[in-house]
């Protein structure tokens, strides 16, 4: 009880600050992040791996699966070399340069050991964890060389998923609190994003881009004052800046709007990362490390502004159509269809029905063949791939008149495979061929934001 009470006092004004791969992508960037976190306010700093590292580790694991030891060794040495350059540029004193070299040696000796053994998913996860372990240790050393006090809190001691692969919130909360209470009186607690343990205690991760999810789970676990996601752009933009020119940051978004955008492809946030913050009602602020003075985006429980706010797109979508004139309107048919997806733990993103057919979309195709085989019991089944969901997000109830027209006008030259409108007041989703995605996003941008 006493311990919990102390913790309640600490967490009241605690921040969570997450810095992504580009934000810690070089010695220079690590120094800049150190300046941004050294504010005096108590915080948990969540770091991604330095940019490019996780991709390299994925590549190394790929070589090891194929038993291409030469390829793996070359990729490992290249990555190790990059870290030696970082050490040279990051630390001032010989003592810290030596500590940095030792750190790198220990992680790379660990990675190299896998080239001799059998390689399974377990070894892959262990390799993928090295990026965040390295970046956080480097930050901790750099802070300490600068005489800035910090504590390294291992995420593998508290971040955990359950047997369904979902975060085990109770475990995370208990164990994170314990980690902090065992190290009282510090202002900066540094931990790894992305990495976790699974229900068996093995090293695992929260999937690519998962550091945002870590930050949100940590924020919820400590009831943080705010969760800040620091990245390489000045907030959530109104369209995908990788595809469309003339996008702009959105000042405020509701949790639901942000969750829809993240889920439907706005890469700035991991698809699941809004949910824990929303449930705990903790504001999420998106900030630009390269331009800290920019306002960014504040995500909270209020939606400000009316009408259409943003567009996102999610690729690699598969549509499945089940055609069954005889059975579709019979009650119980939909349940049977959904049960098949449930059995194979495959979630459905979009759904549309007609009198003779039902179409759904999925993004996880691991069990596609099994699902299709089972669905065939209920009618003819057609599968379409290489599709993208274009998702238009905003407050459609407030001023919904005319928006549908603008959306469809923008897409007049694009064939639309499915439409979902009215599922929530925040979202209109359209399924198009991925080949048409860019044209759809550009044209929607012009019709919805540029000619208003
Ligand atoms: P980090 O490494 O910091 O996690 P990410 O690369 O995962 O950064 O996310 C930031 C990137 O997300 C931006 O550089 C931008 O290209 C991309 N992005 C995609 N859609 C959006 C959007 N709607 N608003 C802002 N950024 C977006
Ligand atoms: N390093 C991991 C990745 O590149 C996690 C993250 O950056 O969020 O996917
Ligand atoms: Mg990211």
């Amino acid at each position: 009880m006493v311990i919990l009470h102390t913790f309640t006092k600490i967490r009241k004004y605690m921040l969570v600050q997450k810095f992504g791969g580009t934000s810690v992508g070089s010695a220079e960037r690590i120094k800049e992040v150190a300046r941004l976190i050294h504010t005096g306010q108590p915080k948990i700093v969540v770091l991604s791996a330095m940019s490019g590292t996780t991709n390299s580790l994925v590549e190394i694991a790929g070589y090891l699966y194929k038993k291409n030891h030469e390829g793996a060794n070359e990729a490992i040495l290249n990555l190790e070399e990059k870290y030696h350059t970082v050490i040279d540029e990051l630390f001032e004193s010989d003592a810290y340069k030596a500590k940095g070299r030792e750190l790198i040696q220990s992680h790379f000796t660990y990675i190299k050991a896998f080239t001799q053994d059998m390689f399974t998913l377990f070894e892959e996860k262990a390799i993928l964890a090295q990026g965040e372990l390295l970046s956080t240790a480097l930050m901790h050393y750099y802070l300490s060389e600068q005489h800035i006090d910090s504590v390294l809190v291992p995420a593998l001691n508290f971040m955990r998923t359950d047997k369904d692969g979902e975060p085990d919130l109770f475990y995370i909360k208990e164990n994170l609190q314990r980690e902090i209470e065992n190290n009282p009186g510090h202002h900066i607690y540094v931990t790894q994003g992305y990495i976790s343990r699974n229900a068996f205690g093995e090293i695992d991760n929260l999937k690519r881009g998962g550091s945002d999810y870590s930050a949100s789970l940590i924020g919820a676990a400590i009831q943080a004052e705010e969760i800040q996601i620091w990245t390489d752009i000045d907030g959530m933009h109104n369209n995908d800046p990788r595809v469309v020119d003339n996008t702009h940051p959105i000042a405020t978004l509701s949790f639901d709007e942000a969750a829809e955008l993240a889920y439907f492809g706005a890469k700035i946030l991991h698809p699941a990362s809004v949910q824990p913050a929303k449930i705990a009602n903790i504001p999420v602020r998106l900030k630009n490390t390269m331009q800290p003075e920019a306002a960014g985006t504040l995500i909270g429980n209020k939606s400000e502004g009316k009408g259409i706010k943003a567009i996102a797109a999610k690729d690699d979508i598969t549509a499945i159509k089940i055609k069954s004139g005889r059975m579709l309107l019979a009650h119980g048919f939909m349940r049977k269809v959904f049960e098949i997806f449930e059995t194979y733990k495959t979630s459905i993103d979009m759904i549309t029905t007609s009198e003779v057919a039902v179409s759904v979309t999925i993004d996880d195709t691991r069990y596609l063949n099994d699902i299709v085989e089972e669905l065939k019991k209920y009618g003819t089944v057609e599968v379409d791939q290489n599709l993208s969901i274009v998702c238009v997000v905003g407050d459609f109830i407030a001023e919904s008149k005319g928006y549908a027209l603008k959306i469809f006008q923008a897409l007049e030259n694009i064939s639309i495979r499915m439409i979902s409108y009215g599922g929530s007041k925040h979202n209109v989703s359209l399924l198009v061929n991925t080949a048409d995605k860019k044209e759809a996003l550009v044209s929607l941008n012009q019709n919805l934001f540029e000619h208003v």
Side-chain angles (χ1 to χ4, degrees):
M1 260 342 265
V2 174
I3 291 176
L4 273 180
H5 178 68
T6 325
F7 191 77
T8 312
K9 275 200 295 192
I10 303 171
R11 74 188 188 192
K12 276 244 158 70
Y13 52 102
M14 222 168 177
L15 271 186
V16 173
Q17 289 185 315
K18 175 255 166 176
F19 294 87
T22 323
S23 302
V24 292
S26 65
E28 216 31 65
R29 302 259 36 109
I30 293 175
K31 292 179 192 178
E32 178 58 26
V33 169
R35 277 189 284 276
L36 289 170
I37 64 185
H38 183 40
T39 57
Q41 181 169 11
K43 62 191 59 170
I44 299 184
V45 173
V46 181
L47 300 184
S48 292
M50 295 179 73
S51 58
T53 296
T54 310
N55 285 348
S56 299
L57 295 170
V58 168
E59 190 194 349
I60 291 164
Y63 284 131
L64 292 174
Y65 271 122
K66 291 187 206 130
K67 305 243 170 286
N68 179 350
H69 293 301
E70 213 175 294
N73 280 329
E74 197 184 320
I76 294 170
L77 291 178
N78 280 342
L79 189 63
E80 189 175 5
E81 190 54 40
K82 277 196 204 163
Y83 276 89
H84 279 294
T85 313
V86 172
I87 297 298
D88 283 341
E89 293 169 3
L90 184 63
F91 298 113
E92 283 161 18
S93 65
D94 288 343
Y96 272 90
K97 282 186 201 284
K99 269 166 92 93
R101 276 196 295 274
E102 226 173 86
L103 174 83
I104 287 170
Q105 207 200 345
S106 79
H107 285 273
F108 279 87
T109 305
Y110 179 81
I111 296 173
K112 284 171 197 161
F114 291 115
T115 55
Q116 281 129 42
D117 294 328
M118 197 179 77
F119 202 75
T120 67
L121 196 60
F122 174 78
E123 280 78 24
E124 178 183 359
K125 299 277 174 72
I127 286 194
L128 294 188
Q130 301 310 306
E132 272 70 11
L133 292 169
L134 275 163
S135 63
T136 46
L138 288 175
M139 178 63 79
H140 177 59
Y141 281 172
Y142 178 70
L143 290 170
S144 106
E145 191 185 36
Q146 299 301 308
H147 308 289
I148 301 170
D149 172 60
S150 72
V151 183
L152 200 51
V153 178
L156 297 179
N157 289 0
F158 67 85
M159 190 55 76
R160 195 174 172 115
T161 52
D162 62 19
K163 59 182 184 357
D164 297 320
E166 295 296 325
D168 184 341
L169 285 171
F170 183 78
Y171 183 97
I172 296 168
K173 196 169 177 164
E174 292 280 299
N175 287 279
L176 176 57
Q177 290 191 355
R178 196 203 52 235
E179 288 289 322
I180 294 181
E181 282 153 11
N182 287 345
N183 293 286
H186 300 277
H187 278 114
I188 302 176
Y189 295 87
V190 180
T191 192
Q192 299 84 24
Y194 178 58
I195 64 175
S196 64
R197 289 191 188 273
N198 62 19
F200 308 104
E202 297 162 344
I203 299 178
D204 203 344
N205 61 61
L206 302 176
K207 308 219 169 71
R208 295 305 305 271
S211 297
D212 304 323
Y213 200 17
S214 305
S216 185
L217 291 164
I218 290 169
I222 62 158
Q223 274 297 317
E225 181 185 310
E226 185 171 283
I227 298 161
Q228 298 181 347
I229 306 287
W230 289 78
T231 181
D232 57 5
I233 189 163
D234 54 351
M236 178 73 82
H237 277 221
N238 64 324
N239 207 331
D240 192 331
R242 297 166 299 178
V243 180
V244 179
D245 296 330
N246 301 326
T247 62
H248 59 79
I250 305 165
T252 55
L253 282 170
S254 68
F255 287 120
D256 288 341
E257 290 165 342
E260 301 266 23
L261 288 168
Y263 187 76
F264 287 107
K267 189 190 172 222
I268 187 169
L269 285 173
H270 177 280
S273 61
V274 179
Q275 210 56 16
K278 179 189 164 176
I279 292 168
N281 194 20
I282 298 170
V284 178
R285 200 180 286 276
L286 309 181
K287 293 281 288 177
N288 189 352
T289 320
M290 329 289 159
Q291 211 189 326
E293 67 290 348
T297 299
L298 181 63
I299 301 165
N301 56 16
K302 281 202 298 273
S303 163
E304 281 167 30
K306 292 193 172 116
I308 293 172
K309 286 199 169 166
I311 303 164
K314 181 171 169 178
D315 297 333
D316 298 321
I317 301 294
T318 297
I320 305 170
K321 185 198 283 178
I322 308 113
K323 215 170 160 188
S324 172
R326 186 170 50 86
M327 292 183 75
L328 191 73
L329 290 180
H331 60 97
F333 175 75
M334 288 295 190
R335 180 175 54 77
K336 286 186 195 135
V337 167
F338 290 142
E339 261 171 12
I340 295 171
F341 288 91
E342 197 183 332
T343 308
Y344 291 100
K345 291 193 169 28
T346 300
S347 58
I348 293 171
D349 284 335
M350 280 177 80
I351 168 161
T352 57
T353 58
S354 81
E355 186 153 331
V356 291
V358 51
S359 282
V360 301
T361 69
I362 59 171
D363 64 355
D364 177 356
T365 51
R366 274 178 300 169
Y367 301 108
L368 181 62
N369 291 340
D370 299 303
I371 291 172
V372 169
E373 279 315 304
E374 299 236 9
L375 286 172
K376 280 183 181 164
K377 291 181 199 153
Y378 301 106
T380 42
V381 181
E382 278 172 37
V383 175
D384 269 345
Q385 294 193 292
N386 301 320
L387 299 168
S388 296
I389 294 177
V390 172
C391 170
V392 183
V393 165
D395 184 355
F396 291 100
I397 297 298
E399 266 182 49
S400 61
K401 279 189 200 144
Y403 284 121
L405 180 64
K406 281 188 181 171
I407 292 171
F408 290 116
Q409 263 172 351
L411 300 176
E412 65 180 340
N413 296 321
I414 288 168
S415 80
I416 302 174
R417 169 76 175 70
M418 278 169 72
I419 300 162
S420 170
Y421 184 60
S424 86
K425 66 170 189 163
H426 307 290
N427 167 327
V428 177
S429 300
L430 306 123
L431 188 66
V432 301
N433 289 319
T434 301
D436 294 332
K437 179 187 80 168
K438 183 176 164 86
E439 191 184 337
L441 292 184
V442 169
S443 177
L444 282 166
N445 214 59
Q446 285 167 354
N447 251 40
L448 300 177
F449 302 117
E450 291 169 22
H451 301 154
V452 278

